[in-house]
Amino acid sequence: MGFAFRLERVLAVRRIEEDGARQRHAEAQEVLGNACAARDDALRRLGATLAGLDGLKRRDELSEQTLYLHSLHLAGLRREIDVARARVAAATRDVERTAAELLCAHQARESLEKLREREESSWRRGQATREAREIDEIAVQRSHARKEENHGP
């Protein structure tokens, strides 16, 4: 009969929980990456818009209406950037939270696996001791049988 860990079902649940935590963390990282990309895109567009405005100024093609439209566009981009920064901050908090959950799940699984290894090692030592005892007992029985054979009953 082989080794049977008494908490094998709990260990299986802990493995499933760790996999779920790993998946949630990966999803949170993906959301953070998308939020950072959106923020960076908005910042890039802001820079391009400001560069376009500077180009109009250098060419002396800036009219009152163009300046007004640029100011509206810049205000919209700045609001978009603020929203994107808030999303990045929220996503960062979510990544940190899921990382902490993953760490807890990992530690819980690992502690059970270490307990399993210790119990299995103890079981193996016990098995080896029992086998050695049985071999010694067989050797003693054979020795007694030989003595009886050689000396008679």
Side-chain angles (χ1 to χ4, degrees), residues 38-49:
R39 179 203 57 204
D40 294 345
D41 182 56
L43 287 170
R44 181 194 52 75
R45 287 185 289 133
L46 176 66
T49 300

Side-chain angles (χ1 to χ4, degrees), residues 6-132:
R6 59 190 166 87
L7 298 174
E8 192 66 42
R9 288 184 180 158
V10 176
L11 180 58
V13 169
R14 295 278 169 87
R15 286 177 178 147
I16 291 168
E17 287 173 349
E18 183 182 12
D19 289 341
R22 185 176 291 112
Q23 180 65 32
R24 286 188 299 277
H25 184 61
E27 290 168 358
Q29 286 179 319
E30 184 177 347
V31 168
L32 176 60
N34 292 339
C36 286
R39 179 203 57 204
D40 294 345
D41 182 56
L43 287 170
R44 181 194 52 75
R45 287 185 289 133
L46 176 66
T49 300
L50 290 173
L53 182 63
D54 287 343
L56 288 175
K57 283 190 242 178
R58 276 193 296 278
R59 291 188 307 267
D60 200 27
E61 296 175 0
L62 189 60
S63 67
E64 185 177 313
Q65 184 180 10
T66 306
L67 184 59
Y68 176 71
L69 292 174
H70 267 283
S71 68
L72 289 177
H73 184 63
L74 288 173
L77 281 174
R78 286 191 172 113
R79 279 192 303 274
E80 185 180 336
I81 289 168
D82 288 342
V83 168
R85 284 182 176 151
R87 285 184 180 148
V88 167
T92 300
R93 286 189 300 273
D94 197 35
V95 165
E96 290 169 356
R97 180 186 54 79
T98 58
E101 289 173 0
L102 177 58
L103 179 63
C104 287
H106 175 74
Q107 288 173 339
R109 177 198 50 84
E110 207 166 66
S111 67
L112 271 180
E113 284 185 348
K114 286 180 182 177
L115 175 63
R116 183 184 195 287
E117 288 171 7
R118 284 193 304 268
E119 286 187 7
E120 185 176 10
S121 176
S122 175
W123 178 82
R124 288 187 188 284
R125 283 192 305 274
Q127 284 292 104
T129 302
R130 279 188 290 282
E131 287 174 6

Side-chain angles (χ1 to χ4, degrees), residues 1-5 123 127:
M1 179 172 120
F3 172 72
F5 182 49
W123 178 82
Q127 284 292 104

